Amino acid sequence: MKQPQYFRYEQGYRDLPTDILIRLADLYHTSTDYILGRTDNPSPPQP
């Protein structure tokens, strides 16, 4: 992903597609809820 596109997601100009959200959560070893600001716990859920 190019930097300008990432910037648009960070600034809220565009919504993050679900598949990208999941890949980012996997990349950073966190939960999608943490990325979305729905929790303060960065740990991914345990299966």
Side-chain angles (χ1 to χ4, degrees), residues 21 25-26 28-36 39 41-45:
L21 176 64
D26 290 345
Y28 293 114
H29 304 287
T30 191
S31 69
T32 55
D33 280 347
Y34 183 73
I35 292 174
L36 294 171
T39 184
N41 182 358
S43 299

Side-chain angles (χ1 to χ4, degrees), residues 8 10 23 27 36 44 47:
R8 288 183 197 98
E10 285 183 324
R23 285 189 275 173
L27 175 70
L36 294 171

Side-chain angles (χ1 to χ4, degrees), residues 9-20:
Y9 293 140
E10 285 183 324
Q11 297 301 310
Y13 298 135
R14 294 197 51 154
D15 287 332
L16 192 61
T18 304
D19 61 322
I20 293 175

